[in-house]
Structure formats: structure tokens, C-alpha cells
Amino acid sequence: MLNPRTIQKIVFALFGIATVVIIVPVAIVFLIILFNGLQALTPEFLFSMPRMGMRAGGIFPAIVGTLYLIIGTAVFSLPFGIFAAIYLTEYAADNWLKRLVEVAIVNLAGVPSIVYGLFGLGLFVIFLNMGASILAGSLTLAIMTLPVIITASREALNAVPRSFREVSYSLGASRWQTVRKVVLPNAVPGIMTGTILGLSRAAGETAPILFTVAAFYLPRLPQSISDQVMALPYHIYVLSTQVPNVSVKIQYGTILVLVLLVFIMNISAAYIRARFRKRKLW
Amino acid sequence: MVAKLRIDNLCVFYGSFEALKGINLEVQENEILGIIGPANSGKTTFLKSINRMLDFTPNVRIEGKIYFDTLDAQKEIKRLALRRRIGMVYALPLPLPLSIFDNVAYGPRLHGTKKKKQLDEIVERCLKASYLWDEVKDRLKTPAFNLSGGQQQRLCISRTLAVEPEVILYDEPCSGLDPISTAKVEEAMRELKQKYTQILVTNNTKQAARVSDRTAFFLMGELIELDITAKMFTAPSDKRTDDYIAGRFG
């Protein structure tokens, strides 16, 4: 028989190994991308148009396209997501309609991204006649991001202690005054964190933009929201599978740019959360 | 003399549980009415039904009437207006996550006072009324959470006063405070008598004896006895009151 202390040591060691193993794939992926892609990161690569069928030149239009899509997604998903979260948390009575909406949100989060892509193609591109465009792509990505934003915002709102609301009401405040003056200011950091994480996921998605906005090869910048754009995730797919003889440097360089973009967004979300947690006083 | 508040056969049900079983009492203007009684006797429910904070509780049913200055508090006065006129101080000090100044100015700002000078004046007056001014006058812009528990509770009283209510409800306001802070809060209450009608729910029977003019004894949702405090604590007419005050149960 092993004595309890030995068993404890073995078990803790197993847990420790399991935890460290999580780091391994992340580290390998990141290091390989960094190692192969870093030398591609020149100003010319970042800020010039692709040339020679994407085998040379830069990825500027894809970077701009992805940034436009992030902004477009934010414009459409933020108001809907945050307003819906406020309504569900602060106003809605606990009845069948609210539960139906909650079920819808959970299911919306579970829909595979390619289904969003086809949905966007059907509704925005064809039925609403927007064509493949920044508008259609942003709307599609916004719908995909909504459940993330709603869920994060609801959690942030619920994290504001009930007692603050009660005090506000007892001083004669209306529901809206209470939400605006007490609840929202204290929920904003959480809402921002969740929103940025949702947008960073949207930035890296390929399937939803495949049919709704992404251009295969378009070496110029978009003129309006009804233009197509290149976008980083789709560009990576194209470079790796659709165009022969693309140098490894360009492939990895493009991947590195996307990873860094998402990484920066996630870090800023974590930073906001950490900063406000320190300031939080209850 | 017309009572400030007249409670007429008030019954409150949480689902099928009857938390208050037909309460009848009157609160006179400028008096402090103490309410004592063991846990679950309906004291907090009683307070919350007066300023209609019970409206937020699901599955609650209220029967009977509450008259505020002869007006039906449930029908003839709008809920928000009623809460302005009947302030409440909670058991735990509950400052809002704002500065000391903004906590006190919260109510007046809600109700339309915008001018800086006017707000300054209200904040100073209300902090003085709760004997907090001297301790905080140099750091009004600092977060209210940095204050001690006793200071926070007096801040909450100031915040309630800033709305200029006519009645103040206290729900065990000193339960988390040390004796010195308690003494300061009680001093503030006695001083406030000149302008306000106050109802003090307390678990500390000695506090009721020290502060209140009349005292009511609640037990299991019923009003057992209500009398002048001095008589209540020396010669109660009900045996259960006597037992509770003497500490034989509860």
C-alpha cells in the first residue's frame, strides 16, 4: 500500500503535467509561426499591394479589409448586444418569452460558422441584394458575435451587486436612472472585455466571410461599404491552398499578422479586466 | 392629531407564507417608533411595504391599507414619489461605488438639482446632520468605500436625508457597527427628530430603549404590543414581550 502522502504527490504531479501540456501546442504553434514569419514583417509587406498573383508584394488590402470588418461587426453587434443584455437583465419579467430568448441566444452561440456564412449569403447577399460586400460580411459576423456579446454583457450586469440597485430605488430612482447611473458604469469594463473577445473571434473567422465579402484577389482598397474586400483569414486559406508556388515566408508572414492582431485584441481585453478589477471596491 | 402613517390591517404574503398577519398601527409625526422582535417576525417586510420596495419581490401579495398623510400610499401616490418622501437606511452600510460627495448628491441629482453650489450646500448640510462632516470634509472626492463601517452608515443616512424625505426607515442600522459608531448614529437620530418621522427596526432591544419614543414588539408576523418605550421596558402588558425583553427567548 502506498501511503497517502505518496499518492498525493503522484496525483499532484499528474495534474501539474496535464496543466503544462496545455502550454505545449500553443508554444509550438506560436514559435513556428514567429520563426517562419518574422522575417516577412517588413513595412513593404504590411503596407503594399500584393503583386504577381499574390506571390510577391504585400498584404495591405487584406489587413485593411479585416479592420473594416471588425469595425463593421462592432457597429452592428454592439448596440443590439448591449441593449438586449440590459433589457434581459434589468427589465424583462421572468416569463416564457424571456426564456425563449435565452434559449435562442444559447443556440445562436452553438451554430457552426459555415452555417452563418450560408445564412449571410442567402439573406444579405442574395435576398436583400447587398451582394458580396463589407456590409453583408459585417452583418453576418455581427450575428455570429451577438451571443458572445450578450452573454458577456449579462454576466457583467449581473455582477453588479443587487444591493446597489436597491439603494438607488430606495432614493426614488426609476429603473432607467438606476441602470444608467449605477449599473452600467460598473458593468462597462466587463462588457468591453466580452465585446473585444467576441470581435477578436470574428476577426479570425473564415467561413462566415467566405461567401459574403471576401475577395480572392483584389489589389486595391475598398471605396464603399458595398465593395468586396480581401480579409486575412481567407487570404491565408488562398495562399496555402489555392495559389501554387507561394513562398513560405509570405504564407507565414500573413498568418503572423492575423495571430498578432487577435493576440493584441485579447491582451487588451485582459488588460481592461485586470485594471478595473483592481479599481473595483466591493 | 393626524398620524403621519396609518397602517390598517396590513397582511403580506410571500407565496403562501404569511409574513405579516394584520398589522394595525399609527406613526405620529416627529416620533421615533422602535420595532423590536426576533428574526423572521416581519420587521423588515413591514418597512419594505411602507416604501413599496416589496414591489420588486416576486410572488408577493399585499393586503390592507397604508395611509401616508391620509393618502393611500399604494394607490394615490406614485411609487417613485413615495420613495422620495420615505427614505430608507439598510442594515449593512451600502455606499454606492462613487465618491463621498457623489453618494450624498445622488438623490438630489436624480431629482433635478444640477447646480454645483446648491449640491455643495446640500452635501455639507446632510453630512453635518449625520455628524460625519468633520471627519470627511477634506476628502469628499475620495471613494466612499474607503470609509470605516460606521462612517459609511452615517454617509448612508446623509444620502437618505439629501432626498429630503419626511419619514426615514432604519432596518437594523447599527447591526454591523461598534458601540462608538452606534452612539453616533443614535445621536444623529435623536437630532433628526425635530424634522423627521423615524421608524427604527432593531435587533438590539437596548437600542430601542435608548432611542425610541414608542416601541412595538413584533412576533411571527403579529404586532404583540405597542406602547410608550418607558412603559414597554418596565411594565409590558404581554407576557411574551416581557420574555423577549428579558432575553428569555429570541
Side-chain angles (χ1 to χ4, degrees):
Chain A
M1 271 301 277
L2 292 163
N3 76 41
R5 283 191 55 195
T6 319
I7 294 175
Q8 166 160 311
K9 274 186 188 161
I10 295 171
V11 171
F12 280 0
L14 283 173
F15 289 173
I17 292 167
T19 311
V20 173
V21 163
I22 296 168
I23 305 171
V24 175
V26 179
I28 292 176
V29 168
F30 198 72
L31 285 176
I32 290 178
I33 294 171
L34 200 65
F35 181 75
N36 288 300
L38 199 58
Q39 42 183 324
L41 284 197
T42 59
E44 204 237 326
F45 180 69
L46 292 177
F47 298 112
S48 69
M49 298 293 161
R51 283 179 284 113
M52 294 168 62
M54 296 176 263
R55 288 184 197 84
I59 54 167
F60 190 51
I63 296 175
V64 170
T66 289
L67 290 178
Y68 279 174
L69 287 175
I70 293 174
I71 294 167
T73 306
V75 165
F76 292 120
S77 61
L78 268 181
F80 279 104
I82 295 174
F83 291 170
I86 292 173
Y87 182 76
L88 286 172
T89 322
E90 306 294 330
Y91 287 90
D94 194 15
N95 56 22
W96 64 270
L97 183 65
K98 182 182 173 184
R99 283 193 286 275
L100 189 70
V101 173
E102 282 169 345
V103 169
I105 292 167
V106 171
N107 282 302
L108 212 54
V111 173
S113 55
I114 184 67
V115 177
Y116 281 112
L118 292 169
F119 171 77
L121 173 70
L123 180 66
F124 302 123
V125 177
I126 298 172
F127 183 74
L128 295 175
N129 208 16
M130 292 175 186
S133 60
I134 296 178
L135 185 62
S138 300
L139 284 167
T140 309
L141 286 171
I143 295 176
M144 191 194 76
T145 315
L146 262 183
V148 181
I149 292 180
I150 294 177
T151 310
S153 302
R154 288 190 69 185
E155 271 167 25
L157 292 166
N158 278 322
V160 178
R162 291 276 137 203
S163 56
F164 290 175
R165 296 174 174 81
E166 187 136 327
V167 164
S168 178
Y169 293 138
S170 81
L171 293 166
S174 67
R175 253 176 212 263
W176 172 238
Q177 285 173 320
T178 301
V179 169
R180 190 165 55 86
K181 299 200 168 206
V182 177
V183 182
L184 267 186
N186 292 292
V188 161
I191 293 176
M192 277 167 67
T193 306
T195 303
I196 296 173
L197 290 178
L199 290 178
S200 86
R201 196 192 137 200
E205 280 288 348
T206 315
I209 59 173
L210 196 56
F211 314 114
T212 54
V213 53
F216 185 81
Y217 179 59
L218 194 69
R220 56 182 162 80
L221 297 182
Q223 303 301 311
S224 78
I225 53 166
S226 50
D227 280 1
Q228 273 192 292
V229 280
M230 296 177 78
L232 285 170
Y234 183 60
H235 192 55
I236 290 168
Y237 166 73
V238 168
L239 289 179
S240 341
T241 61
Q242 307 296 303
V243 185
N245 303 322
V246 179
S247 77
V248 172
K249 209 176 80 172
I250 289 186
Q251 291 175 340
Y252 274 104
T254 313
I255 294 171
L256 183 59
V257 171
L258 179 59
V259 169
L260 284 179
L261 181 74
V262 172
F263 190 67
I264 290 168
M265 291 177 79
N266 289 359
I267 289 284
S268 52
Y271 173 75
I272 292 171
R273 186 161 47 191
R275 227 192 98 162
F276 282 92
R277 187 172 291 160
K278 225 187 287 170
R279 252 190 44 191
K280 198 151 109 173
L281 289 155
W282 63 85
Chain B
M1 190 164 121
V2 179
K4 189 74 187 166
L5 279 168
R6 186 158 67 81
I7 318 298
D8 192 2
N9 201 23
L10 179 71
C11 301
V12 175
F13 300 85
Y14 295 116
S16 59
F17 173 71
E18 192 172 9
L20 286 179
K21 302 167 183 168
I23 303 291
N24 290 292
L25 63 82
E26 289 186 355
V27 187
Q28 304 302 333
E29 197 146 8
N30 294 28
E31 80 165 334
I32 301 181
L33 175 71
I35 297 180
I36 57 172
N40 283 322
S41 51
K43 308 183 300 279
T44 301
T45 301
F46 178 69
L47 288 191
K48 283 185 160 185
S49 55
I50 293 176
N51 70 344
R52 293 187 62 184
M53 289 298 284
L54 272 189
D55 295 13
F56 293 110
T57 314
N59 287 325
V60 73
R61 190 158 54 85
I62 303 169
E63 286 172 11
K65 293 273 179 212
I66 299 171
Y67 293 98
F68 180 57
D69 279 344
T70 72
L71 289 174
D72 185 335
Q74 288 156 48
K75 292 210 182 83
E76 292 169 330
I77 308 175
K78 289 222 167 84
R79 188 162 51 195
L80 298 185
L82 183 79
R83 294 209 190 106
R84 275 184 71 172
R85 296 171 68 182
I86 304 181
M88 180 142 178
V89 175
Y90 289 85
L92 293 170
L94 287 173
L96 294 168
L98 304 167
S99 71
I100 296 171
F101 184 95
D102 290 339
N103 259 282
V104 183
Y106 186 83
R109 279 184 179 141
L110 284 181
H111 307 307
T113 309
K114 292 269 174 345
K115 290 204 186 87
K116 175 90 177 65
K117 228 181 128 186
Q118 228 171 331
L119 287 172
D120 282 345
E121 186 270 317
I122 292 172
V123 169
E124 181 172 345
R125 176 167 49 78
C126 295
L127 286 172
K128 278 180 174 161
S130 68
Y131 296 99
L132 189 59
W133 175 252
D134 289 331
E135 293 162 53
V136 302
K137 64 184 174 201
D138 300 322
R139 46 173 175 147
L140 292 174
K141 296 289 170 202
T142 60
F145 279 92
N146 293 352
L147 297 173
S148 74
Q151 290 173 326
Q152 288 185 8
Q153 193 62 303
R154 279 177 283 147
L155 176 69
C156 292
I157 295 177
S158 302
R159 186 177 58 193
T160 305
L161 296 178
V163 187
E164 296 185 0
E166 295 155 51
V167 178
I168 305 175
L169 312 173
Y170 301 90
D171 188 6
E172 298 173 25
C174 300
S175 56
L177 303 188
D178 66 275
I180 293 168
S181 302
T182 302
K184 285 185 176 170
V185 171
E186 289 175 4
E187 194 182 345
M189 286 180 199
R190 272 185 226 110
E191 200 57 40
L192 293 170
K193 253 173 79 168
Q194 305 179 9
K195 280 177 73 183
Y196 304 94
T197 306
Q198 300 173 87
I199 302 181
L200 166 67
V201 160
T202 177
N203 268 333
N204 179 344
T205 42
K206 292 202 180 80
Q207 180 170 52
R210 284 193 299 267
V211 183
S212 56
D213 300 305
R214 291 189 306 152
T215 301
F217 175 53
F218 276 40
L219 182 65
M220 310 282 282
E222 284 176 75
L223 172 62
I224 304 298
E225 192 172 348
L226 168 62
D227 215 329
I228 308 285
T229 299
K231 171 157 189 306
M232 188 88 164
F233 280 87
T234 48
S237 41
D238 194 289
K239 170 94 172 52
R240 288 167 292 181
T241 315
D242 195 20
D243 284 351
Y244 181 72
I245 290 169
R248 278 190 284 273
F249 79 90

